[in-house]
Amino acid sequence: MSASHPALSIRVLLAVCAAAVLALCVRVAPADADAIGPQFPISSPHTAEGMQAAFQDVAYNTVTGQYLVVYVAATTPDEDDIYGQLLDAAGNKAGNEFRISAVSQEHEEFNPPAVGFDAETGRYLVAWDRDETVYVRVLAPNGGPLGDELPISAVQNDIETEAIAYSPVSHEYLVVWKAFGDGRVYAQRLNQDGGQVGTDDAIVGGSTALEVDNAVDVAYNATSLEYLVVFAAEPETSSDGEEVYGQRLNLAAGEIGTDDFKISAMGPEGNTTFDAAPPSVVWNSVLNQYLVAWHGNPGPPLNNSEREVYGQLLAADGGKIGTEGFRISDLGPDGTNEYNANRPRIAFDPFSNQYLVAWHGDEVGLGEDEFEIWGQYLAANGAEIGSNDFRISEGPDGSEPLGNNRPALAFNPTSTCNYLVTYFSGTPNSSFEGGSTVYGRFASAPPACPPPPDVLAPTITGLKVTPKTIASGMKAPAKSKKPAKASKVKKQAKVRYTLSERAAVTLTVERKLPGRKVAGNCRKAKDGAKAKGPRCPFWAKIGKALKQQGVAGANVKGFTAKSIRKRGLKPGAYRIVAAATDAAGNGSIKAIARFSVAKPG
């Protein structure tokens, strides 16, 4: 899943945008900085001639707090594979680079992989195409493969550009791709294990009258419970150039709303000089709307072959909001084709209700055809905020072969509240000795970042009861002989334990009774009933539970038999079962300590 459609936001972002924090989510504030720290290499060295490492995608895992970056890289001088690298929230490598694809592909067949994220299980889905077929592989949260790579499409002519979204409602991925051969957008539903669901290779975009001819993207709408697919296409029955179109899909990948509705409008109709190219889309979880971005040419004041980045806000039903086709990038002076912006990608920050749009392009002061990565923050209404076209990559100026290309973004909503921007530097699929390397750099988010959610459960250690035997609190039978040591048994005991953090602690008392195993479970043995099943200890809850607001560190709770049961406790074997729940609702593993109750006397 590319950062333009982060499924990772589905669960966490909805939670943070609940009513309790609505005031935070609707606040619009400019970013206080741009790029943060130096850029850092992500891919390992690949010295074979050819791609080395390039064409990456990235997803943030809200379960593990890590990023997964996937990319194409050279395995041999003639063949490439899909590789992955996990990063922690600070961008440090978490383990070594690992190979994802099982079968290599020739250099000339390389196409960018896509990565999606399942916020319920912490798993990833990686998609790519080989031999005109789309393949996927499910990865564990640690990057390990869960099963084989699986073909999910029929053989189709000239497949390119997969995109992935995930729905926690249907517990399914939606993978979309384009096939140049017939000019269509296809979709396939997959379950959490990568198994195909529903219609095979469902056509969801394009027609005989509208030929798809560029990259696709998809976003999941967790409020409306639907997807939005965007793509570039050119009408067959007119002389218009390519424009960006959209199609809404329900959870079953069925088309809903207007069929292939038009989003962009580059230049006057009837003129193929002005067109739009690879679109990107992201869902705004605060306002339940979308931002779509693309590069294109609307006509004057731009030169005929000059390109800049444009955007369009859409309502949940696909209707246009605000200014139509508003401009985002400003690389170089207008009217010259020497400076162009290309392939924008988008990420959304729900805490400040704003977007980061990034693209690659050349600017005044760079070498000819030298690309760098640029960024622009946008408010929820599309207005530019913060620095204009700030630079993200750090390629050496004046060196075209070492330019930076094709950004992919992911927003971290649970730890740093920053964007990770990934890109590749160099010239892929060539014999250039510098090769190509995947890099990353962080871009800032607003300073009003809420603390990360508490997902760590408290722990209870050292649970014990002293003394081990206490008085029952019951009256001895009138004519019974008083036990010799009855007077020495203490009435009060203390429960001692250590907590890892402040938490509410419940101490439940259970009495040991004879039981019998039935169907694998221990059940209380009935008095006078014929014995069935092997004997087992049956622990029955007695009286009322003891409760305490525990502190981090050592804790003590005193009790007597009568504080548990008003009439006291019958003699026998007992145990204390302790459980802790912190303020975030995280529950501990239960701890157990045994004690006994003496005969009354």
Side-chain angles (χ1 to χ4, degrees), residues 3-90:
S4 62
H5 42 75
L8 60 92
S9 67
I10 293 171
R11 184 175 62 182
V12 177
L13 302 192
L14 285 177
V16 299
C17 291
V21 293
L22 182 59
L24 172 63
C25 289
V26 299
R27 180 184 61 83
V28 174
D32 63 334
D34 298 324
I36 302 172
Q39 68 180 20
F40 49 89
I42 295 174
S43 61
S44 299
H46 287 256
T47 56
E49 288 185 6
M51 184 140 353
Q52 284 85 41
F55 297 101
Q56 77 297 327
D57 195 15
V58 59
Y60 178 75
N61 189 323
T62 56
V63 176
T64 64
Q66 295 179 323
Y67 300 92
L68 174 60
V69 183
V70 298
Y71 44 89
V72 187
T75 301
T76 73
D78 300 314
E79 293 181 319
D80 302 321
D81 276 287
I82 308 301
Y83 288 85
Q85 176 65 61
L86 291 168
L87 306 174
D88 65 18

Side-chain angles (χ1 to χ4, degrees), residues 223-292:
T223 299
S224 302
L225 302 183
E226 61 184 59
Y227 304 96
L228 175 62
V229 179
V230 296
F231 51 93
E234 185 172 357
E236 292 290 317
T237 57
S238 73
S239 57
D240 287 344
E242 286 186 2
E243 297 288 357
V244 175
Y245 293 81
Q247 180 62 61
R248 295 165 55 210
L249 304 176
N250 59 28
L251 294 183
E255 296 184 26
I256 54 178
T258 304
D259 182 48
D260 295 348
F261 63 91
K262 189 176 180 180
I263 297 174
S264 68
M266 294 281 99
E269 293 187 7
N271 190 327
T272 59
T273 300
F274 311 109
D275 56 12
S280 178
V281 61
V282 70
W283 175 61
N284 181 322
S285 58
V286 179
L287 302 178
N288 190 25
Q289 60 189 38
Y290 303 96
L291 173 63
V292 182

Side-chain angles (χ1 to χ4, degrees), residues 284-470:
N284 181 322
S285 58
V286 179
L287 302 178
N288 190 25
Q289 60 189 38
Y290 303 96
L291 173 63
V292 182
W294 63 90
H295 74 244
N297 188 320
L302 300 188
N303 181 285
N304 284 351
S305 57
E306 184 179 1
R307 294 179 292 194
E308 295 286 355
V309 174
Y310 294 85
Q312 180 64 59
L313 294 170
L314 300 177
D317 63 1
K320 293 182 179 181
I321 300 173
T323 304
E324 183 170 10
F326 59 90
R327 184 169 170 178
I328 298 174
S329 69
D330 302 280
L331 293 188
D334 291 347
T336 173
N337 59 5
E338 293 181 9
Y339 310 105
N340 294 281
N342 304 273
R343 292 187 172 273
R345 308 303 285 176
I346 323 170
F348 175 67
D349 167 11
F351 303 115
S352 59
N353 193 19
Q354 70 181 35
Y355 308 93
L356 172 62
V357 183
W359 63 91
H360 71 258
D362 41 5
E363 178 61 291
V364 175
L366 302 181
E368 183 179 358
D369 295 325
E370 177 192 347
F371 293 135
E372 297 294 344
I373 308 300
W374 310 88
Q376 180 65 60
Y377 294 107
L378 300 179
N381 64 359
E384 295 186 13
I385 52 178
S387 303
N388 182 57
D389 293 4
F390 65 91
R391 183 168 167 177
I392 298 174
S393 61
E394 296 182 314
D397 293 350
S399 179
E400 181 270 330
L402 291 179
N404 296 281
N405 300 268
R406 299 179 69 125
L409 292 72
F411 179 72
N412 179 342
T414 63
S415 178
T416 60
C417 281
N418 290 328
Y419 306 89
L420 174 61
V421 184
T422 64
Y423 44 93
F424 71 86
S425 176
T427 304
N429 203 34
S430 75
S431 58
F432 172 61
E433 62 182 10
S436 56
T437 303
V438 176
Y439 283 90
R441 194 178 189 189
F442 288 101
S444 70
C449 180
D454 181 3
V455 296
L456 188 64
T459 57
I460 302 173
T461 56
L463 181 72
K464 62 181 179 178
V465 178
T466 54
K468 290 288 186 180
T469 303
I470 64 170

Side-chain angles (χ1 to χ4, degrees), residues 564-584:
I564 296 168
R565 186 170 176 263
K566 205 169 190 181
R567 292 178 292 174
L569 297 175
K570 294 180 180 180
Y574 289 81
R575 69 183 186 181
I576 290 277
V577 180
T581 304
D582 66 16

